[in-house]
Amino acid sequence: MILNQWYAILPSRKIKKNRIIAVRRLNLDLALFRNKKGEIACVSDQCTHRGAALSKGKLIGDCIQCPFHGLEFDKDGKCRFIPANGKASTADITRYNVRHYPVRELNGIIYIWLGDKEKATGKLPFFYDDIDDSYVYSEIEDHWNSHYSRCIENQLDVVHVPIVHYNTIGKGSKTLINGPKVEFENGILTTSANNEVDNGQSPKAPADCVIRETNLNFIFPNLWMNHISSRIKVIIYFAPVDDENTILYIRFYCKIARFRAVNSLVAFIGKYANKIIERQDKRVVITQKPKASSYKSGEKLLVGDGPIIMYRRKREELKNL
Ligand code: FES
Ligand SMILES: [Fe+2]
């Protein structure tokens, strides 16, 4: 994992008011809960007393109570009460504190900060310039038995499109890969497919290609967007579960019509189209070995893998910061 990043990990709607849920993300077992006011918190899902899962407990006021011996922890993981010691106890109980993770929400996505809490940035990763409230979206999720780096690379891969998606978005046998051009500006990686039918011509160099209106964008650590047009986008946040598993949350955003109801319908249909494409990818990506990609992987990359090389390079830089 890259440290000191906000990771998009879960849709906000998964955690209702006054509820606790258990999730595994970023190789961690986490208990997320939302108090009556709707405020959200994230703590380690393992009690410091004798290891029970806090997510099996309940909320008492703004604290999560362990289901085993009743220790209570607040949203910052601080132990607030130990029933066995009694209300009158004044003993220092800070050694029972559980680990907590900074957590925030934006646009219906829950983000958690992995790394030094003091370094947590104010701005969450999102495509602020592209998506606003005028859009309607519809979301699906799917579990892939792959490391999140492989899932991300797949969405930046223009070479696989005519092969994997030969009967859907890659129809037309455009197997010759021009470029592609790859840019990295203001923290956003951008590229676009310039594929052509192979009539014996040589592929164009990346420098001779352009970024098209339909283009792919990525923001570290785990947010991707297909800018299909000025009115249709697809966003995926790749929630890392552990070293071999990822959950993809795929949103189809639409604002083609004047009426939100029409846009909702298009988004609803669009998300099922996404599912067909996504399943074509998944079938192959889950077979990749090793499960995680790396900068010095020894893989024999092609010129057309430029976006993947850029992703790996930037990821390596961030990991070494
Ligand atoms: S294991 Fe949690 S209170 Fe004992
Ligand atoms: Fe694909």
Side-chain angles (χ1 to χ4, degrees), residues 144 154-157 160-161 164-165 169 277-278 280-282 285:
W144 289 23
N154 172 62
Q155 300 299 338
L156 298 172
D157 178 354
H160 84 292
V161 176
V164 170
H165 306 297
I169 53 169
I277 312 299
E278 172 254 325
Q280 290 184 315
D281 288 316
K282 176 177 169 177
V285 174

Side-chain angles (χ1 to χ4, degrees), residues 7-26:
Y7 285 84
I9 59 150
L10 199 70
S12 292
R13 64 185 155 76
K14 295 271 185 182
I15 313 181
K16 311 274 185 258
K17 272 188 191 169
N18 214 21
R19 295 286 286 275
I20 310 167
I21 66 161
V23 291
R24 183 158 176 79
R25 294 288 187 273
L26 317 172

